[in-house]
């Protein structure tokens, strides 16, 4: 588990500034939700936490993102190691075109684990943590594409857990799922928050209110308000936050 | 078109419903006092008939609040508004029913004239508090609401003085005990009405600011330095069974 300290983070894509002077501390454990209208920079922010923005050409980053006191954008940082410690689950389930087993075993194998017994343990442990084991234990060799959308998303979560990250980032993990699958993911998030630092971007404010311990509201690339979720949804300090969460913005 | 216009429309409609119920509660108290003081049987019947009307309005508003919560999931100031409406309608219903109780005290009773003015004055005071409470709630006027809380002490003093005075009169004029007891009950109902008005004011302050007032900040408790104050009060109105110095 790790805390994330963001200091004066600014991000540009070409000459367009996507994030402006973001400073916040995301404490270890628990769930932090990032909310805000489309284009406010919430996905850019979450992607900056595991250096996913590095993959975008003409992306410029200024400021610091510190995990356990170490700047992720420092000169001697191994990006692969960053992404090992900080896993990510995306909006649409994106399993590999492989078996359920291989989806989980793939990353640990890349990181040097070759022993079959050890891989079996990792696969079972990860699937259990993602609350998927009972549903797939008898068909681990079947294609991941045979799973439902909700199961595929939990498989992706299991895949992220397989490399034992400290932090897991979720970018709209339920936006493509039905309410039942969404509820299962939310239950899973509530379990994971005891062991991991979880950051979730969501358009669904009710979801943020249901699962998050803290919520940050972004607007036009700026962090407007960051507070305990109950406080932010009951009595926000900022008028913009109030307008957004009550649906009066637009 | 403004965002969530249907939702805004529902909130506006809810506000109007509460204003209407507040107006009915005021009407019941006003007519109840008049009916009692004048022993007007026709007016008494009219106020009693309004009892079911105010109950119906409470039910309509409660259903509307649940509908808004279920369909629109209000948060922040909207949630405080809807939850406050849910609470306030109970106070308004109680206020209206106290008006009804006061009217019913007037059936076939005579009134010692020396206390008529005091009760009338206390009635005016309680009624103006209800008017201000409803007005501050509907207009979300926290300043006006907070001013009401100070007025509660005056009503408490009036009730205390009325109670002490009536006890003295009962000893001196035992033939008037029944009428004097009705006067005490009316004063007690008026004091309770003022308390409900203060509940609405407290709720208004919370609705506007999001900050709950601490009970002790609201008022000092009425003082009844008589031996009976240590006894449990019998349920005078069918709803409360508290010591006279409790709220």
């Amino acid at each position: 588990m790790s805390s994330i300290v963001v200091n004066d983070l600014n991000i540009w894509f070409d000459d367009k500034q996507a994030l402006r002077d973001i400073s916040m501390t995301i404490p270890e454990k628990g769930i932090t939700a990032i909310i805000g209208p489309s284009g406010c920079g919430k996905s850019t922010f979450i992607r900056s936490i595991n250096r996913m923005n590095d993959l975008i050409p003409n992306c410029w980053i200024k400021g610091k993102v510190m995990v356990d006191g170490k700047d992720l954008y420092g000169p001697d940082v191994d990006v692969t190691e960053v992404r090992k410690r900080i896993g990510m689950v995306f909006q649409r389930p994106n399993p590999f075109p492989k078996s359920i087993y291989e989806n989980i075993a793939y990353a640990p194998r890349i990181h040097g684990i070759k022993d079959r017994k050890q891989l079996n343990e990792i696969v079972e442990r990860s699937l259990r943590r993602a609350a998927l084991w009972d549903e797939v234990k008898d068909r681990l060799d079947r294609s991941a594409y045979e799973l439902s959308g909700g199961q595929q998303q939990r498989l992706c979560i299991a895949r992220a857990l397989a490399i034992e990250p400290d932090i897991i980032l979720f970018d709209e993990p339920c936006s493509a799922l039905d309410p039942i699958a969404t509820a299962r993911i939310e239950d899973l998030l509530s379990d994971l928050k005891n062991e991991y630092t979880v950051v979730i971007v969501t358009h669904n404010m009710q979801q943020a209110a249901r699962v998050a311990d803290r919520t940050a509201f972004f607007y036009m690339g700026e962090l407007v308000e960051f507070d305990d979720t109950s406080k932010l949804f009951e009595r926000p300090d900022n008028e913009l936050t109030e307008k957004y969460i009550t649906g009066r913005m637009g | 078109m403004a965002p969530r216009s249907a939702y805004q429309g529902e909130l506006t409609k809810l506000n109007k419903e509460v204003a209407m119920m507040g107006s009915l509660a005021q009407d019941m108290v006003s007519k109840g006092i008049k009916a009692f003081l004048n022993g007007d049987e026709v007016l008494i019947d009219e106020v009693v008939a309004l009892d079911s009307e105010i109950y119906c309005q409470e039910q309509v508003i409660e259903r509307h609040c649940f509908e808004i919560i279920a369909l629109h999931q209000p948060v922040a100031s909207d949630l405080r508004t809807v939850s406050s409406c849910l609470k306030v309608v109970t106070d308004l219903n109680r206020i209206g029913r106290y008006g009804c109780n006061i009217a019913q005290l007037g059936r076939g009773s005579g009134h010692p004239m020396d206390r008529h003015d005091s009760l009338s004055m206390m009635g005016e005071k309680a009624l103006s508090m209800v008017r201000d409470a409803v007005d501050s709630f509907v207009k979300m006027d926290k300043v006006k609401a907070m001013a009401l809380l100070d007025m509660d002490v005056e009503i408490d003093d009036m009730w205390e003085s009325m109670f002490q005075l009536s006890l003295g009169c009962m000893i001196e004029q035992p033939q008037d005990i029944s009428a004097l007891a009705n006067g005490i009950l009316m004063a007690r109902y008026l004091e309770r009405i003022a308390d409900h008005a203060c509940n609405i004011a407290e709720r208004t302050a919370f609705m506007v600011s999001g900050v709950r007032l601490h009970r002790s900040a609201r008022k000092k408790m009425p003082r009844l330095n008589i031996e009976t104050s240590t006894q449990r009060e019998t349920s005078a109105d069918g709803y409360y069974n508290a010591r006279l110095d409790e709220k």
Side-chain angles (χ1 to χ4, degrees):
Chain A
M1 289 157 298
S2 300
S3 61
I4 305 163
V5 178
V6 180
N7 275 334
D8 289 326
L9 182 66
N10 289 269
I11 297 181
W12 293 263
F13 295 110
D14 290 319
D15 57 349
K16 185 179 183 303
Q17 188 161 6
L19 288 180
R20 199 180 297 271
D21 301 328
I22 306 293
S23 292
M24 64 192 292
T25 298
I26 298 173
E28 66 174 16
K29 288 191 184 179
I31 301 175
T32 298
I34 313 291
I35 62 169
S38 295
C40 71
K42 53 190 187 300
S43 286
T44 302
F45 173 73
I46 201 175
R47 290 165 66 91
S48 72
I49 298 176
N50 71 344
R51 293 191 58 168
M52 289 286 285
N53 291 318
D54 293 14
L55 307 172
I56 300 173
N58 299 323
C59 174
W60 303 91
I61 297 169
K62 191 179 143 208
K64 288 183 177 177
V65 178
M66 322 262 281
V67 173
D68 291 340
K70 189 172 182 188
D71 184 8
L72 299 184
Y73 291 89
D76 55 344
V77 170
D78 177 354
V79 178
T80 307
E81 187 60 25
V82 167
R83 295 192 188 130
K84 181 173 180 289
R85 286 191 65 195
I86 306 174
M88 189 158 188
V89 176
F90 297 89
Q91 190 170 355
R92 291 197 167 273
N94 57 349
F96 302 140
K98 293 173 179 291
S99 70
I100 294 168
Y101 183 96
E102 282 303 319
N103 262 274
I104 310 296
Y106 186 79
R109 197 179 278 132
I110 283 181
H111 285 96
I113 299 172
K114 306 289 182 195
D115 179 59
R116 181 74 185 183
K117 191 180 167 201
Q118 201 178 346
L119 283 172
N120 288 349
E121 284 171 4
I122 290 171
V123 168
E124 179 173 344
R125 186 172 64 238
S126 303
L127 288 169
R128 280 191 188 280
R129 276 190 193 163
L132 191 59
W133 174 252
D134 289 339
E135 294 166 50
V136 300
K137 63 184 176 188
D138 299 324
R139 47 176 172 149
L140 294 174
D141 57 338
R142 303 300 295 267
S143 167
Y145 289 157
E146 290 180 18
L147 299 174
S148 69
Q151 287 172 325
Q152 286 186 18
Q153 192 64 306
R154 277 182 283 146
L155 180 68
C156 293
I157 294 171
R159 190 176 66 190
L161 296 173
I163 48 170
E164 299 286 343
D166 298 318
I167 297 166
I168 312 177
L169 311 173
F170 291 85
D171 193 356
E172 301 254 17
C174 302
S175 62
L177 304 181
D178 69 19
I180 296 168
T182 297
R184 298 206 66 164
I185 298 286
E186 289 179 2
D187 286 347
L188 178 56
L189 289 173
S190 297
D191 290 340
L192 294 176
K193 75 174 186 177
N194 298 317
E195 296 176 58
Y196 304 92
T197 302
V198 175
V199 184
I200 176 173
V201 164
T202 179
H203 267 302
N204 184 335
M205 282 182 289
Q206 278 72 42
Q207 180 171 65
R210 282 194 297 267
V211 304
D213 300 295
R214 292 163 297 277
T215 298
F217 170 58
F218 279 58
Y219 185 64
M220 294 179 74
E222 293 185 24
L223 173 63
V224 175
E225 191 164 350
F226 180 38
D227 214 326
D228 287 344
T229 299
S230 58
K231 163 80 168 47
L232 192 126
F233 280 95
E234 286 172 22
R235 191 159 46 93
D237 288 331
N238 193 289
E239 200 180 334
L240 269 177
T241 314
E242 170 96 22
K243 276 189 176 173
Y244 179 69
I245 65 176
T246 57
R248 290 186 176 86
M249 185 178 278
Chain B
M1 183 185 284
R4 299 188 81 183
S5 56
Y7 171 50
Q8 290 305 316
E10 292 299 329
L11 290 175
T12 305
K13 187 179 164 197
L14 180 65
N15 185 276
K16 282 181 183 163
E17 287 169 344
V18 173
M20 199 185 295
M21 186 178 175
S23 172
L24 177 61
Q26 288 170 56
D27 200 33
M28 288 174 75
V29 173
S30 168
K31 286 179 175 167
I33 294 168
K34 205 178 288 177
F36 171 72
L37 294 176
N38 299 332
D40 184 338
E41 295 286 343
V42 177
L43 199 53
I44 291 169
D45 290 339
E46 190 184 323
V47 179
V48 170
L50 292 175
D51 194 25
S52 59
E53 171 62 23
I54 200 160
Y55 174 77
C56 286
Q57 289 198 15
E58 183 190 17
Q59 296 296 304
V60 166
I61 293 171
E62 192 182 315
R63 272 198 294 273
H64 195 186
C65 289
F66 274 93
E67 200 175 285
I68 290 172
I69 291 168
L71 302 182
H72 299 283
Q73 291 98 41
V75 292
S77 60
D78 292 347
L79 179 59
R80 296 200 301 271
T81 299
V82 176
S83 68
S84 295
C85 287
L86 270 173
K87 298 271 282 183
V88 159
V89 290
T90 307
D91 287 307
L92 290 175
N93 183 32
R94 287 305 307 137
I95 288 170
R97 294 188 71 184
Y98 277 127
C100 187
N101 294 147
I102 289 170
Q104 285 170 317
L105 290 173
R107 285 206 196 279
S109 66
H111 308 286
M113 289 309 290
D114 60 332
R115 292 167 56 253
H116 185 288
D117 288 347
S118 306
L119 282 171
S120 181
M121 197 188 303
M122 192 175 173
E124 278 303 316
K125 186 83 181 167
L127 192 58
S128 78
M129 286 179 72
V130 175
R131 197 178 298 122
D132 286 353
V134 172
D135 201 45
S136 64
F137 186 84
V138 169
K139 292 177 181 163
M140 297 189 178
D141 185 342
K142 188 187 168 191
V143 176
K144 194 172 190 176
M146 295 300 284
L148 257 183
L149 300 181
D150 296 332
M151 289 166 72
D152 195 33
V153 179
E154 294 174 39
I155 281 278
D156 287 342
D157 288 343
M158 283 173 146
W159 150 239
E160 188 178 327
S161 142
M162 182 71 63
F163 185 77
Q164 300 286 10
L165 189 67
S166 297
L167 284 186
C169 288
M170 281 177 169
I171 294 164
E172 289 167 15
Q173 304 157 242
Q175 70 279 9
D176 289 332
I177 276 184
S178 173
L180 288 162
N182 281 346
I184 287 177
L185 276 175
M186 178 185 173
R188 173 65 172 157
Y189 292 150
L190 291 173
E191 190 271 335
R192 293 296 304 141
I193 284 170
D195 263 355
H196 284 287
C198 288
N199 287 348
I200 295 171
E202 270 185 9
R203 209 65 207 174
T204 303
F206 168 71
M207 178 174 69
V208 175
S209 67
V211 179
R212 287 184 171 83
L213 294 180
H214 193 272
R215 188 85 188 165
S216 62
R218 169 165 156 182
K219 60 186 240 177
K220 56 183 179 180
M221 294 298 172
R223 308 160 303 278
L224 281 174
N225 301 319
I226 53 172
E227 287 179 15
T228 52
S229 68
T230 59
Q231 302 296 312
R232 300 300 291 180
E233 183 194 28
T234 52
S235 179
D237 53 16
Y239 289 89
Y240 295 92
N241 188 15
R243 277 171 49 167
L244 287 173
D245 58 349
E246 290 174 345
K247 292 293 166 193

